[in-house]
Amino acid sequence: METPVSVPAALPPVCAEPVWPYLCSLLPADLEESARRFQALRRCRNVPDAAALLRLALAYAVTNLSLKDVAAWAHAAGVAEITGPGLFYRLRMAEDWLGVVLAQTLQAQVRPAPPGLRLRAVDATVINGPGATGTEWRVHVLLDPGTGCFRAVELTAAHGGEGYARQPFQAGDVVLGDRAYGTARGVYAVQTAGAQVLVRLNQHAVRLCGAQRQRWAWSTAAAQVPQVGAHEWPVQ
């Protein structure tokens, strides 16, 4: 007698058709060989190949689904026949391999920095324990996008906000950041270390002035940006 499988309503779209074939085109060509070399896929029982294993890992990483729910989704989608505990074991064994896949993918997508410059990226994520009702910890990372290697990691409590000042920069670094890092204090911290910054500015967090120290008008500037290309202004 077959046991009915409960399929979660919130399926992981990043791993579903037609997105998944496109994602596969961005992955390293030696996916199968590297999975076996790093012992992530010593046997293909229940999980047919390395692409299926990576698909399971992404389904668990980018959604709020439990291991049991991901296993149910994998059964319904024909990806793999695996239980929640079995998926936990597979992901634990694939830790080193997943790091290698990430590094190879980043290397293929990121062009080398010009001589004398080093590309760096900063970001943060939250960690919550079982039964948490809000953010418990925040992890701040400094990453080398060209290799996928961490250059610095800091763990703070929930009150530890994101900011450039937390990271150790050096002269020659070109630092990338999202809108949360686009503050005057953060830009100053990067430049004080002798590094350069490339960040999405938040017009409510940074006040810019023109060469004559007049208030820089965001609305006027936006109208000057072409549909294709860029525009440059000297600001303070």
Side-chain angles (χ1 to χ4, degrees):
M1 181 177 178
E2 293 186 357
T3 302
V5 177
S6 176
V7 181
L11 295 179
V14 70
C15 303
E17 303 291 346
V19 178
W20 180 246
Y22 168 71
L23 289 180
C24 286
S25 68
L26 305 177
L27 299 176
D30 66 339
L31 202 63
E32 292 290 334
E33 190 275 332
S34 65
R36 297 183 183 279
R37 186 170 71 251
F38 287 92
Q39 300 185 349
L41 198 66
R42 290 181 292 182
R43 294 180 297 175
C44 290
R45 186 177 65 182
N46 302 328
V47 179
D49 51 33
L53 179 58
L54 183 59
R55 197 172 183 181
L56 289 168
L58 287 173
Y60 181 62
V62 303
T63 69
N64 293 323
L65 300 180
S66 66
L67 290 167
K68 180 181 178 181
D69 285 342
V70 173
W73 164 79
H75 169 82
V79 175
E81 296 291 338
I82 195 169
T83 64
L87 177 57
F88 172 77
Y89 172 79
R90 289 283 191 170
L91 295 180
R92 186 177 63 178
M93 297 300 296
E95 180 179 351
D96 291 342
W97 174 65
L98 291 173
V100 169
V101 172
L102 173 62
Q104 290 178 331
T105 304
L106 288 173
Q107 284 178 333
Q109 298 296 318
V110 179
R111 295 180 180 179
L117 298 178
R118 295 174 300 275
L119 196 60
R120 297 289 184 259
V122 297
D123 207 350
T125 187
V126 299
I127 299 178
N128 297 321
T133 58
T135 299
E136 293 188 322
W137 302 283
R138 185 171 282 110
V139 181
H140 309 265
V141 298
L142 176 63
L143 181 74
D144 182 343
T147 64
C149 295
F150 293 111
R151 296 299 177 182
V153 178
E154 181 183 7
L155 178 66
T156 67
H159 63 268
E162 300 177 56
Y164 280 131
R166 292 187 176 278
Q167 303 296 350
F169 301 119
Q170 301 177 2
D173 288 347
V174 179
V175 188
L176 312 179
D178 61 21
R179 192 185 301 266
Y181 294 86
T183 66
R185 186 187 301 271
V187 173
Y188 176 77
V190 176
Q191 294 189 334
T192 300
Q196 303 297 320
V197 63
L198 181 61
V199 65
R200 290 188 63 186
L201 281 181
N202 183 343
Q203 59 178 312
H204 302 294
V206 176
R207 177 177 296 180
L208 297 178
C209 297
Q212 305 301 321
R213 301 189 65 82
Q214 74 278 12
R215 185 73 178 269
W216 197 60
W218 290 84
S219 56
T220 304
Q224 301 178 42
V225 180
Q227 290 186 341
V228 178
H231 197 82
E232 181 176 321
W233 299 270
V235 297
Q236 300 180 42

